[in-house]
């Protein structure tokens, strides 16, 4: 099929599929929403009327001191005004103080689309993907003391992202997914440059965490390249930041299923539940030899339990309603974080926190990217084949839980949402196919596929009024069955079908940027496959304990031991928490 009129969206041209006369098309109006803000209103004091006249002096009554009551009221009003101004001043100082705490740098280094772009849903809402980085940098005396390793090197420059989590908040704010990327994963680090230090790389193959040595923007670009998930924002936290944050919330509850002593991170806990504060919290989230098989995978699992507990505490009654607690938390958080410029203000951070708070704990899923041993180095990892399915669920804004908090079944449930074929034969159905992407020829490709499936030769092609993010099939009154047949042929879920308000219209398919190639609508990722071997758990599971490693992953006095054996042998070492 020739494609003279099927240019990218926005070009007002139309052509006929295989020379058949075109159908008339009516496009609906485009609307855009605007945010509104409330305004505080002030109420003026009502005036008093009909007051009794004051008796004259000398008429047998003593005159009251003139203006005494007014002076009292005036003094009270002045005092109240001063109090209001003082309070407002403290509030403004607090706001400016917190803004001053924040350190922000650009999300990208300006070299192309290194972070990706989100797709809006049918309501114009977009998800949020936040890259959380835990730095191992010993870039100051405090972090040297907490992290160790500076006795010979001194304060160091540069750092690795030993903790990397992609936090996805759905477009409708109903669910969230937190995916950990093990630091030992080998991947391609693209060419990038640190916007603050000027340190750059031409690109290499290495551990994913090493990209942070070239700045947070390089880490963002590396994770986006590895996963295909757009990254909208990042936050970076160092050793002292973990200590400050855990103290600010009054400690985080964590459970271990056995006695554990990680002689490397120095975490030492008896079996049971503990409240971890300060250094103890840092020891817990840093421990890789205490849990699981002693690898970085075990560490990601225990970190999920820690963060789940912290989320539950944030959501618990009283935590965010105590002004003193809120101040401590806000002050600690802003001092501890480095963020991208898109989050570089208190207002924006509060907005992000509000979005997270909308998601119930039972619908926040923690997972770890599936991995396999690196064929070239048994001490390193590579993404497993199933990891692509997990990446796709996040990139396509698919929930890993249903409304009850249970993990969703295979995406076949989503596939069943595709409308069933109707009794209307394809030969009687004509579709107007419009290109709403920036890819030339999309409408012709899909229209040709419909014609090959036996749809009416009255099928036409053209261009949408503009670029659209979501593919829609609009049908007029009385044409629902025909729309179902067309959707079935294209693999288009019924959620993409929409009845037109106009009467007498047929079928109009507008191809969005969610379908830029192929003639069948991309099937959603299989969520059952996505969570296979991904250690998926939801944040509401308060009774889960971290699994202490049964292997000899630690060493005490030169003797290899399990973490439990080390705990019992180290009688002279104080526990990290009671």
């Amino acid at each position: 099929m020739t494609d003279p009129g099927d240019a990218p969206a926005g070009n007002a041209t139309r052509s006929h599929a295989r020379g058949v006369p075109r159908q008339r098309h009516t496009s609906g109006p485009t609307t855009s929403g605007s945010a509104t803000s409330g305004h505080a209103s002030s109420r003026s004091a009502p005036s008093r009327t009909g007051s009794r006249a004051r008796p004259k002096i000398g008429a047998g009554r003593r005159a009251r001191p003139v203006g005494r009551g007014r002076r009292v009221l005036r003094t009270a009003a002045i005092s109240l005004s001063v109090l209001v101004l003082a309070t407002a001043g403290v509030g403004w100082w607090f706001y400016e103080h917190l803004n001053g705490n924040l350190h922000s740098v650009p999300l990208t280094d300006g070299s192309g689309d290194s972070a990706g772009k989100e797709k809006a849903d049918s309501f114009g809402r977009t998800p949020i993907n936040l890259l959380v980085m835990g730095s191992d940098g010993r870039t100051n005396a405090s972090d040297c003391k907490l992290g160790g390793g500076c006795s010979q090197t001194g304060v160091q420059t540069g750092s690795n992202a030993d903790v990397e989590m992609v936090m996805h908040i759905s477009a409708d704010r109903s669910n969230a997914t937190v995916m950990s990327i093990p630091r030992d994963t080998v991947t391609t680090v693209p060419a990038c440059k640190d916007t603050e230090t000027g340190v750059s790389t031409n690109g290499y193959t290495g551990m994913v965490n090493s990209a942070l040595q070239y700045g947070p923007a390089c880490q963002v670009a590396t994770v986006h390249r590895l996963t295909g998930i757009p990254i909208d924002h990042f936050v970076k936290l160092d050793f002292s930041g973990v200590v400050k944050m855990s103290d600010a919330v009054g400690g985080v509850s964590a459970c271990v299923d056995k006695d554990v002593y990680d002689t490397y991170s120095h975490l030492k806990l008896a079996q049971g539940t503990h409240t971890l504060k300060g250094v103890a919290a840092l020891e817990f989230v840093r421990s890789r030899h205490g849990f699981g098989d002693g690898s970085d995978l075990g560490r990601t699992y225990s970190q999920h339990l820690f963060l789940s507990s912290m989320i539950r505490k944030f959501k618990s009654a009283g935590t965010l309603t105590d002004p003193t607690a809120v101040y401590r938390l806000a002050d600690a958080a802003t001092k501890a974080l480095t963020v991208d410029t898109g989050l570089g203000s208190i207002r924006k951070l509060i907005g992000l926190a509000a979005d997270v708070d909308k998601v119930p704990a039972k619908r926040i899923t923690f997972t770890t990217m599936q991995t396999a041993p690196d064929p070239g180095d048994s001490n390193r990892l590579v993404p497993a084949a199933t990891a692509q399915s997990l990446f796709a669920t996040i990139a396509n804004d698919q929930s890993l839980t249903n409304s009850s908090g249970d993990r969703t079944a295979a995406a076949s449930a989503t596939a069943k949402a595709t409308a069933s074929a109707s009794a209307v034969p394809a030969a009687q159905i004509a579709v107007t196919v419009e290109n709403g992407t920036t890819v030339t020829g999309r409408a012709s490709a899909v229209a040709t596929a419909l014609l090959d499936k036996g749809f009416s030769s009255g099928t036409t092609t053209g261009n949408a009024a503009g670029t659209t993010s979501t593919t829609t099939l609009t049908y007029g009154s009385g044409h629902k069955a025909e729309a179902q047949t067309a959707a079935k042929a294209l693999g288009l879920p019924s959620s993409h079908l929409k009845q037109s308000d106009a009467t007498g219209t047929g079928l109009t398919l507008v191809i969005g940027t969610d379908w830029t190639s192929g003639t069948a609508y991309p099937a959603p990722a299989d969520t059952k496959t996505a969570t296979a071997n991904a250690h998926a758990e939801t944040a509401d599971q308060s009774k889960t304990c971290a699994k202490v490693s049964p292997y000899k992953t630690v060493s005490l006095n030169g003797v290899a031991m399990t973490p439990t054996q080390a705990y019992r042998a180290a009688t002279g070492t104080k526990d990290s928490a009671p």
Side-chain angles (χ1 to χ4, degrees):
M1 173 186 296
T2 58
D3 191 21
D6 182 17
N11 297 316
T13 59
R14 186 176 301 279
S15 65
H16 311 288
R18 295 185 179 173
V20 177
R22 65 184 180 185
Q23 294 181 334
R24 181 179 300 275
H25 169 66
T26 303
S27 60
T30 301
T31 60
S32 60
S34 60
T36 58
S37 59
H39 299 279
S41 60
S42 59
R43 182 178 299 170
S44 58
S47 60
R48 296 181 62 110
T49 58
S51 57
R52 183 174 299 173
R54 182 179 290 111
K56 295 181 180 180
I57 297 176
R61 295 185 62 182
R62 179 175 302 211
R64 293 191 312 180
V66 180
R68 180 181 178 186
R70 294 180 181 176
R71 285 196 299 273
V72 172
L73 289 175
R74 187 183 303 117
T75 302
I78 292 172
S79 299
L80 181 59
S81 298
V82 171
L83 179 61
V84 169
L85 289 173
T87 304
V90 170
W92 178 252
W93 171 86
F94 179 49
Y95 182 85
E96 287 299 299
H97 170 72
L98 294 179
N99 269 330
N101 285 345
L102 281 172
H103 176 59
S104 61
V105 297
L107 178 69
T108 70
D109 62 4
S111 56
D113 185 20
S114 57
K117 296 186 184 302
E118 297 289 2
K119 299 175 183 177
D121 66 8
S122 56
F123 296 97
R125 302 169 300 188
T126 54
I128 299 172
N129 288 317
L130 175 76
L131 178 61
V132 180
M133 295 176 269
S135 166
D136 73 346
R138 280 79 165 172
T139 56
N140 54 59
S142 176
D143 283 337
C144 271
K145 181 178 179 180
L146 292 168
C150 297
S151 57
Q152 295 180 341
T153 62
V155 175
Q156 304 166 20
T157 58
S159 57
N160 297 309
D162 275 4
V163 176
E164 289 184 84
M165 298 180 183
V166 176
M167 182 173 190
H168 169 80
I169 308 168
S170 67
D172 63 2
R173 307 302 187 255
S174 69
N175 64 89
T177 299
V178 181
M179 179 187 71
S180 287
I181 301 174
R183 72 160 198 176
D184 295 336
T185 303
V186 174
T187 189
T188 299
V189 176
C192 45
K193 181 178 181 178
D194 191 328
T195 55
E196 289 194 305
T197 66
V199 177
S200 63
T201 176
N202 292 324
Y204 60 92
T205 298
M207 288 173 59
V208 66
N209 67 334
S210 65
L212 188 57
Q213 296 178 15
Y214 305 97
C218 191
Q219 195 67 63
V220 166
T222 301
V223 170
H224 174 59
R225 179 166 182 158
L226 170 66
T227 64
I229 300 170
I231 304 298
D232 307 294
H233 300 291
F234 74 77
V235 296
K236 182 169 74 75
L237 195 67
D238 57 17
F239 292 151
S240 57
V242 175
V243 172
K244 292 174 184 175
M245 290 288 288
S246 60
D247 282 346
V249 299
V252 177
S253 178
C255 172
V256 292
D257 71 339
K258 297 177 182 177
D259 297 340
V260 57
Y261 181 29
D262 181 347
T263 56
Y264 297 95
S265 76
H266 308 296
L267 175 72
K268 187 169 187 279
L269 294 173
Q271 177 182 357
T273 301
H274 307 269
T275 299
L276 304 180
K277 297 181 180 180
V279 175
L282 177 64
E283 291 171 350
F284 187 87
V285 298
R286 289 191 67 204
S287 177
R288 64 175 290 167
H289 297 88
F291 305 109
D293 61 0
S295 73
D296 198 50
L297 292 174
R299 175 162 58 181
T300 66
Y301 304 156
S302 58
Q303 287 170 351
H304 294 169
L305 295 178
F306 183 89
L307 290 174
S308 294
S309 180
M310 181 175 282
I311 287 171
R312 291 194 299 272
K313 185 153 191 178
F314 282 155
K315 289 179 175 290
S316 65
T319 301
L320 297 180
T321 57
D322 179 356
T324 303
V326 169
Y327 172 81
R328 286 199 308 266
L329 180 59
D331 194 44
T334 51
K335 286 178 179 177
L337 300 177
T338 296
V339 300
D340 67 281
T341 49
L343 285 179
S345 73
I346 294 304
R347 179 180 61 81
K348 292 175 181 177
L349 281 175
I350 289 174
L352 176 64
D355 283 330
V356 175
D357 191 52
K358 292 174 185 176
V359 184
K362 66 181 181 181
R363 299 208 69 195
I364 301 176
T365 304
F366 284 88
T367 70
T368 298
M369 180 191 82
Q370 300 96 326
T371 59
D374 182 357
D377 186 346
S378 59
N379 293 318
R380 297 290 177 258
L381 303 168
V382 293
T386 50
Q388 297 303 320
S389 184
L390 179 57
F391 299 158
T393 61
I394 297 174
N396 294 328
D397 196 23
Q398 289 178 247
S399 174
L400 295 181
T401 61
N402 56 32
S403 58
S404 67
D406 297 326
R407 288 201 295 276
T408 55
S412 57
T414 305
K416 290 178 182 177
T418 301
S420 301
S422 70
V424 180
Q428 298 178 16
I429 303 172
V431 184
T432 300
V433 184
E434 296 185 347
N435 186 3
T437 75
T438 58
V439 180
T440 301
R442 287 298 298 135
S444 288
V446 175
T448 298
L450 287 171
L451 291 168
D452 290 342
K453 291 177 181 291
F455 280 77
S456 169
S457 58
T459 295
T460 61
T461 64
N463 300 305
T467 303
T468 181
S469 60
T470 305
T471 298
T472 56
L473 178 58
T474 304
Y475 59 92
S477 177
H479 293 276
K480 182 176 181 180
E482 297 174 13
Q484 290 174 335
T485 297
K488 176 75 172 181
L490 297 169
L492 190 68
S494 59
S495 57
H496 292 253
L497 273 60
K498 178 181 178 182
Q499 182 171 348
S500 172
D501 294 332
T503 58
T505 56
L507 273 57
T508 300
L509 175 69
V510 178
I511 305 171
T513 56
D514 56 347
W515 188 10
T516 56
S517 63
T519 56
Y521 188 77
D526 185 334
T527 54
K528 186 175 182 179
T529 301
T531 56
N533 300 315
H535 204 272
E537 293 185 346
T538 51
D540 62 327
Q541 298 179 20
S542 59
K543 296 182 180 180
T544 303
C545 293
K547 305 295 183 183
V548 176
S549 176
Y551 307 108
K552 293 183 177 181
T553 55
V554 299
S555 176
L556 186 64
N557 299 323
V559 179
M561 299 182 181
T562 69
T564 300
Q565 290 172 334
Y567 179 91
R568 294 168 183 168
T571 54
T573 302
K574 185 178 179 181
D575 283 17
S576 300

